[in-house]
Amino acid sequence: MLIETFADLICPWCYIGKRRLDRALADRPGLRVDVRWQPFQLNPDMPAGGMDRAAYLAAKFGGTERARHVYRMIEETADRDGLPLALDRIRRTPNSLDAHRLVRIAGRRGLGSAMADALFAAYFCEGLDIGDHDTLAAAAVPLGFDVQEVKRLLAGDAEVAAVQAADGLARQMGLQAVPCYIFNRRYALSGAQEPASFLPLLDLGAEEPEALSVVAG
């Protein structure tokens, strides 16, 4: 079955949601699944170089105290899920366009999901700037990519149009928040749901053919 994951690589709930989907899939070991990453930028107007993390959080949540409260809840949720998180290490909130491009580039080799995992870990565990090309190239090396090849692709326009088209189509479909999961292009599940919430859709979707394509690949 096909599962399209609409998410942003700087979204902590998307990080949590991906782990929960992985846990649900582990409970269905015989299910043949094609999980495809679909980009969604929470901050499409973010400057190319990103911005200072403290300034970003203050602007987004109306002050640093409110931001601390929101992120404390995220940290507690991640901790219950056994998911490492080190939000205090993040110094910049990046523009995520190039990170999405890299996931799509990796997807050509069937490594899109693995690349998303690597970038989530780089950002949320190590506090690295995943808008920086050197950081992105380094994250791709353990997956078998050549550093210079990745830098060359990111310096050009590889996958820019595809990412922008997929993001735009998601908004046309009415998506306003992520994560959101589309099963066989028929059924949707929004939010970082508990693993058990995925199971009925995995079971239902496995029993029927895919619908016509309506989502940019």
Side-chain angles (χ1 to χ4, degrees), residues 28 183 187 189 195-207:
R28 295 294 185 269
F183 298 79
Y187 311 106
L189 184 66
S197 299
F198 290 97
L199 298 180
L201 287 171
L202 292 177
D203 295 337
L204 181 65
E207 297 172 356

Side-chain angles (χ1 to χ4, degrees), residues 3-5 7 9 14-15 17-23 25 33-38 99-122 139 143 145 181 217:
I3 303 175
E4 289 165 304
T5 300
L9 292 151
C14 296
Y15 181 37
K18 186 178 186 306
R19 175 61 66 88
R20 290 179 170 180
L21 173 59
D22 290 343
R23 286 167 55 195
L25 290 172
V33 177
D34 178 10
V35 180
R36 299 183 193 173
W37 184 268
Q38 296 291 359
H100 284 300
R101 292 171 61 203
L102 183 56
V103 172
R104 289 188 69 91
I105 289 168
R108 299 174 187 170
R109 303 185 187 181
L111 295 170
S113 184
M115 185 62 75
D117 278 333
L119 296 181
F120 275 135
L143 299 183
F145 286 86
Y181 308 90

Side-chain angles (χ1 to χ4, degrees), residues 131-214:
D132 176 74
H133 286 189
D134 289 339
T135 299
L136 291 172
V141 170
L143 299 183
F145 286 86
D146 176 75
V147 168
Q148 296 307 318
E149 176 194 10
V150 173
K151 289 183 180 180
R152 177 182 59 78
L153 290 169
L154 293 176
D157 60 0
E159 301 293 346
V160 170
V163 169
Q164 292 174 337
D167 183 280
L169 183 55
R171 297 176 197 278
Q172 292 176 24
M173 292 167 58
L175 267 67
Q176 298 180 335
V178 286
C180 181
Y181 308 90
I182 310 283
F183 298 79
N184 278 351
R185 292 174 172 159
R186 291 180 184 273
Y187 311 106
L189 184 66
S190 296
Q193 302 288 338
E194 293 290 342
S197 299
F198 290 97
L199 298 180
L201 287 171
L202 292 177
D203 295 337
L204 181 65
E207 297 172 356
E208 58 182 47
E210 293 178 15
L212 290 175
S213 174
V214 294

Side-chain angles (χ1 to χ4, degrees), residues 12-13 15-16 19-20 23 71-87 124:
W13 290 115
Y15 181 37
I16 293 169
R19 175 61 66 88
R20 290 179 170 180
R23 286 167 55 195
Y71 277 88
R72 190 176 304 118
M73 179 174 64
I74 292 170
E75 289 170 333
E76 290 171 355
T77 301
D79 185 62
R80 287 196 300 271
D81 280 30
L83 194 62
L85 208 61
L87 299 177
F124 287 112

